[in-house]
């Protein structure tokens, strides 16, 4: 059974996760190609700017499964970051993970998230799990997509 555990110091969790996923820091991260340490630093910097961030480790049978963080956005919860460790990635686990996040956020509310244009792996995951693009924007040298889940 998946469980969520609130985490205050998320830096170690981010470092552990990014270190376990070479394609993330080489291809999919905003700073892809700039090295693992730069990707970790960028993520921690972005998360530290969030005013009402809540960060959660997700466990499965006591083992680290992944994590997610939320904050308030517009009229619903914003999924600020999310990650499933590579050894747990499957369609079934992905659906359970999104279900867990929605349950935490309140299933009657919208759930928003955003990803950069180079992260087609996350885009595919979101779209498979019922998210739709509602907005496109630009930050720095990358285009981003805002997704919304509402059922």
């Amino acid at each position: 059974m998946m469980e969520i555990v609130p985490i205050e110091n998320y830096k170690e969790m981010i470092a552990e996760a990014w270190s376990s996923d070479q394609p993330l820091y080489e291809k999919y991260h905003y700073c892809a190609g700039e090295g693992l340490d730069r990707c970790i630093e960028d993520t921690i910097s972005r998360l530290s700017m969030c005013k009402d961030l809540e960060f959660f480790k997700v466990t499965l049978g006591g083992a680290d499964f992944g994590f997610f963080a939320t904050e308030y956005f517009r009229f619903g919860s914003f999924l600020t970051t999310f990650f499933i460790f590579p050894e747990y990635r499957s369609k079934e686990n992905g659906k359970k993970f999104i279900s867990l996040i929605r349950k935490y956020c309140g299933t009657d509310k919208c759930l928003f998230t955003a990803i950069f244009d180079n992260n087609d792996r996350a885009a595919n995951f979101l779209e498979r799990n019922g998210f739709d693009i509602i907005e496109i924007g630009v930050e720095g040298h990358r285009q981003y997509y805002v997704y919304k889940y509402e059922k």
Side-chain angles (χ1 to χ4, degrees), residues 8-106:
E8 287 189 31
N9 185 355
Y10 49 79
K11 294 175 184 178
E12 286 182 27
M13 176 70 52
I14 296 290
E16 178 186 352
W18 281 200
S19 297
S20 75
D21 190 354
Q22 187 174 356
L24 175 70
Y25 62 85
E26 288 185 350
K27 181 177 180 184
Y28 300 119
H29 194 276
Y30 181 81
C31 297
E34 297 178 32
L36 173 61
D37 290 340
R38 176 69 183 112
C39 292
I40 293 169
E41 175 186 300
D42 177 74
T43 301
I44 291 169
S45 174
R46 288 171 186 275
L47 293 176
S48 70
M49 292 187 282
C50 300
K51 292 180 184 175
D52 59 350
L53 185 77
E54 294 181 297
F55 194 98
F56 301 93
K57 173 171 64 171
V58 177
T59 62
L60 179 63
D64 289 352
F65 173 89
F67 61 79
F68 70 95
T70 62
E71 59 185 308
Y72 187 75
F73 176 74
R74 294 183 185 168
F75 302 106
S77 294
F78 188 82
L79 183 57
T80 311
T81 188
F82 60 95
F83 184 84
I84 299 173
F85 281 97
E87 60 268 27
Y88 293 106
R89 291 182 189 155
S90 69
K91 286 183 183 181
E92 181 181 334
N93 280 343
K95 288 181 189 292
K96 289 179 182 177
F97 183 62
I98 293 297
S99 179
L100 181 77
I101 294 168
R102 289 193 65 239
K103 183 177 178 181
Y104 169 77
C105 293

